[in-house]
Amino acid sequence: MSKRPTFILDDQEVPFEPGQTVLQAALAAGRYIPHLCYHPEFRPHGSCKVCTARVDGRMMAACTTPASPGINVESETEELNDLRRMLVQMLFAEGNHFCPSCEASGNCVLQALGYDLGVLTAGFRHMFPVRPVDASHPDILLDFNRCVLCELCVRASNEVDGKGVFALSGRGIDKHLVVNAESNQLADTDIALDDKAMEVCPVGVILKKRVGFAVPIGERRYDRAPISAQALADAPRSPEHKK
Amino acid sequence: MSNAALASWDNAGDEGRVLATLDRWRNDPTHLVQVLREVQEHLGWLPPPALSLVARKLVLPLAAVRGVAGFYAFLHTDPAGRYQVLFSDNITDRMQGSERLMESFCSQLWVEPGKVSEDGLVRVDRTSCTGLCDQGPGLLVNGWAIPGASPERLAVVRELILENRPLEDWPHELFEIADNVRRRHVLLGSDLRPGEAVRAALERAAAVGRELAANERSWREGIPGDSQGPLAVLREIELSGLRGRGGAGFTTGAKWSACRAAPAHTRYVVCNADEGEPGTFKDRVLLSSHADLLFDGMTVAAFCVGASEGLLYLRGEYRYLLESLEAVLERRRAAGLLGHNVLGRNGFDFDIRIHVGAGSYVCGEESALLESMEGRRGIPRNRPPYPVTAGYLGQPTIVNNVETLCAAALVAVHGGEWFRSMGTPRSSGTKILSVAGDCARPGLYEYPFGVTVAEVLADCGAERTLAVQVSGPSGHCIDAGEFDRRIAFEDLPTAGAFTIFDDSRDMFEVARNYVDFFVHESCGFCTPCRVGTSILQGIMAKIGRGRGSLHEIEEMTRLNQVLQMSAHCGLGHTACNPVVDTLKRFRPAFERRLQSLRFAPDFDLDGALAAARRATGRDDPGAYLEQET
């Protein structure tokens, strides 16, 4: 018998460690709640809202809601998956996403969420924003067209790399990524290929040049298994839950 | 970086000014917004060398500094012209003719809205409600408020700009703003002397009589219970039933008690003077004519919770009040009402600083306001923790609205029982309403809670009233069938805006103006609000062009659900309210614009062929697509 406190997720008990959020505890227990801006190595952010769940009757982002004993969390419901589908559609409408030509296809969290949640149409009218690509750096390409503003690169560069290469500027629908150089060109920053910020982009914004199709489309991460399975494989798990 | 922009940076002089500003704010990155605002006051905008210098001195990445500068509407990272003229764009400003005034102002100056004139002299644009709805249309010129824009007054402004006259030399009467108090009750009618509420609180505390010097220490160190004095005052606040006047209506006593009980190094009292809700202007009057009452309230709050520092977050639009408020604070310091050992009370140290905002409605949300005060983008925080346990700089903080703190000062003097004798069972005391729109006498009206909408309409001389927007766009729009409803937390809660529309008004345009407001003010942090408000704006525009259908109406209902369910803060939760309320009560205003009750494309296929017809000189029936009717 485990003495750890538990809460209820979709009618089943989930144990948690104090300090964990609902999403962290769920993933650690092998239970998937769809999410996008959350990454196991970073402090929860709560901006994409894809992990929205009903907690004791109130809508909350599961990634930032502290787990507490006895709370009742509903996640796998038609209502919530409908909501998640619309949020994903909104992100597709906001940027310029052309999956067939994207070198992140098959490795892209937004695309994988779309497949998993059954996003079959655009749903909302596309906004077609003008977002010029930054190809200034010899080894790295920034294609802002695909940015979903999850801030993972901002967090990675600040918290892990200690460089502050990325930040967000503007607000509302004009919010956008900027880089740390007077010229606002990536080539003039101190980014390096082995920076953490290089690996965390969930979509196809931060790309290494000349390696794009080393793994062919069809054999990539989310081509092999759906994101619901991959997310659980990534989650820090307690030994009792590891198979 | 264009050469022109670099040329405007004068190395010797400008660098010195930026350094002096940084020094005054002790090179502290938590004061970034203040630094940027002041640098811009000197330089007119934030040129790249200034941003680089600020980043270097504050040891912040330049990108982060740009991120903050890019967040606030009143900070410019591009040359903004020597004169920036912003027309207030609230619906009441529009009802008072702001659009036509702006159009003719622009054409007389030969400028396009939003673009700096070619000689770099002037830029004309719109801004969110400036809090001058009772004497609109409002203007901001380089951040300074001008009420009552008219063709005559704008002609004066134009001449002054063309003569390149510095703002200090402009005629004083342009900037005179009236209080317009129409109905006084206990608060607007208060004639307390400066410090009277603080004195009353200290006396109340002394009357408890069981205090020892040692207790002072435990009170200061945040061990509640030992010190009966402040508790006696807190008990009166609790007894009064006072609830926050900012709209949410949280019980003030509970908030203060929680802050007092939280373990702390330092505690803070924050006054939220960021009234950005379109249609409110009561704080403007309280700040200009009742500042001592407000500072009394903050000091009483500090005494109750054991805070040593107070911060007033003044909205950027009220920048013109800064010097007079600083003067009041200075007088209070001289009178011993602030500083070390307030009014001679041993260990009671309290002082107040002013932070000036830089144009962001979201910063009215308490946690976004704290972020802004800490020098960051004004994004509402994830909660918990709440500010009462982890607020400003991570310390326990109470954030209260201007009117709430003024009311608290009255409670300190007259007691909780007295306060509770006014209003309704669940809404004690009085409420100040900012009445504007279609009525004979716009201005401030203070009533005990429970007053009906109809009574207010009668008092202010409103006729043929079609609708009243209570508490601004994030509140409720009601029609004539509901004018017997009461202003109170148990019926119609309000932060104070009371905007009246008579039967000549088009409620679709009202809703559309409010939607545009939310799009402009969304912070963009969360997906549903950032994208959803923008989609909503697109739909309203499509209906406005006469190309809507029932599909669009359903889409807006769906968006409302998404925002209600998943938005990060109140702005997103309420962003669809104006549309939903208007649809419910004034559906014909929408339906008469719909092209069809089925789906209608936004794109006019046949219209797109017009250019081809012209080019080929064809006008025969075969050159036209069959139009569905």
Side-chain angles (χ1 to χ4, degrees), chain B residues 125-206:
Chain B
D125 210 343
R126 296 182 179 84
T127 188
S128 299
C129 179
T130 50
L132 297 166
C133 328
D134 57 328
Q135 45 201 305
L139 286 184
L140 291 177
V141 179
N142 292 0
W144 296 82
I146 296 178
S150 62
E152 299 73 34
R153 281 163 75 80
L154 283 169
V156 175
V157 170
R158 192 182 65 236
E159 284 313 306
L160 290 163
I161 288 174
L162 291 174
E163 287 166 20
N164 221 329
R165 286 261 290 279
L167 225 59
E168 311 72 282
D169 297 347
W170 288 27
H172 193 255
E173 54 272 22
L174 271 179
F175 302 94
E176 270 169 19
I177 291 166
D179 276 358
N180 275 341
V181 175
R182 307 280 185 178
R183 189 180 196 278
R184 291 172 199 276
H185 203 273
V186 292
L187 211 160
L188 290 171
S190 147
D191 54 359
L192 297 182
R193 277 163 294 118
E196 204 168 326
V198 183
R199 249 176 228 110
L202 295 184
E203 276 160 24
R204 207 177 280 279

Side-chain angles (χ1 to χ4, degrees), chain B residues 228-242:
Chain B
Q228 298 300 310
L231 271 183
V233 183
L234 187 49
R235 223 169 286 127
E236 292 299 324
I237 300 287
E238 284 171 339
L239 185 64
S240 74
L242 173 62

Side-chain angles (χ1 to χ4, degrees), chain A residues 45-46 49, chain B residues 33 71-72 248 255 270-274 313 355 360-395 397-401 523 525 567-571 573:
Chain A
H45 193 241
K49 303 296 177 191
Chain B
V33 179
F71 182 82
Y72 295 93
K255 188 184 268 187
V270 172
C271 171
N272 182 347
D274 190 55
Y313 190 96
H355 273 247
S360 165
Y361 167 75
V362 192
C363 288
E365 194 278 342
E366 61 177 5
S367 67
L369 182 133
L370 294 170
E371 286 287 299
S372 179
M373 287 201 316
E374 291 179 17
R376 284 190 290 271
R377 294 161 58 82
I379 312 284
R381 293 175 178 172
N382 288 308
R383 284 165 300 172
Y386 291 90
V388 284
T389 56
Y392 184 61
L393 303 176
Q395 296 299 310
T397 303
I398 50 173
V399 183
N400 282 125
N401 167 273
C523 78
F525 174 75
H568 186 62
C569 76
L571 187 153
H573 294 147

Side-chain angles (χ1 to χ4, degrees), chain A residues 49 94 125 170 175 180 182, chain B residues 52 62-63 377 524 530 602:
Chain A
K49 303 296 177 191
E94 181 188 25
R125 195 174 146 165
K175 187 169 85 160
N180 191 37
E182 288 201 11
Chain B
S52 298
L62 175 62
R377 294 161 58 82
R530 183 182 70 240
D602 193 15

Side-chain angles (χ1 to χ4, degrees), chain B residues 8 27 86 100 193 271-272 282 323 348 384 514 589 594:
Chain B
S8 75
N27 291 303
L86 298 178
R100 254 177 304 112
R193 277 163 294 118
C271 171
N272 182 347
K282 66 186 171 69
E323 279 76 16
F348 183 18
Y514 287 152
L594 300 185

Side-chain angles (χ1 to χ4, degrees), chain A residues 45-49 59 64 79 86 90-91 94 124-125 127 149 167-173 175 180-182, chain B residues 52 61-63 66-67 70-71 359 377 382 520-527 530-531 558-559 565-566 568 602:
Chain A
H45 193 241
S47 63
C48 77
K49 303 296 177 191
M59 292 294 179
T64 55
E79 177 196 33
M86 280 192 269
M90 281 183 174
L91 289 170
E94 181 188 25
F124 299 105
R125 195 174 146 165
M127 297 182 184
L149 304 160
L168 288 166
S169 190
R171 75 177 186 207
I173 199 70
K175 187 169 85 160
N180 191 37
E182 288 201 11
Chain B
S52 298
L62 175 62
R66 277 213 191 115
F71 182 82
R377 294 161 58 82
N382 288 308
H520 186 255
E521 296 297 340
S522 167
C523 78
F525 174 75
C526 72
T527 311
R530 183 182 70 240
V531 188
R558 227 156 56 102
L559 278 172
M565 281 168 81
S566 60
H568 186 62
D602 193 15

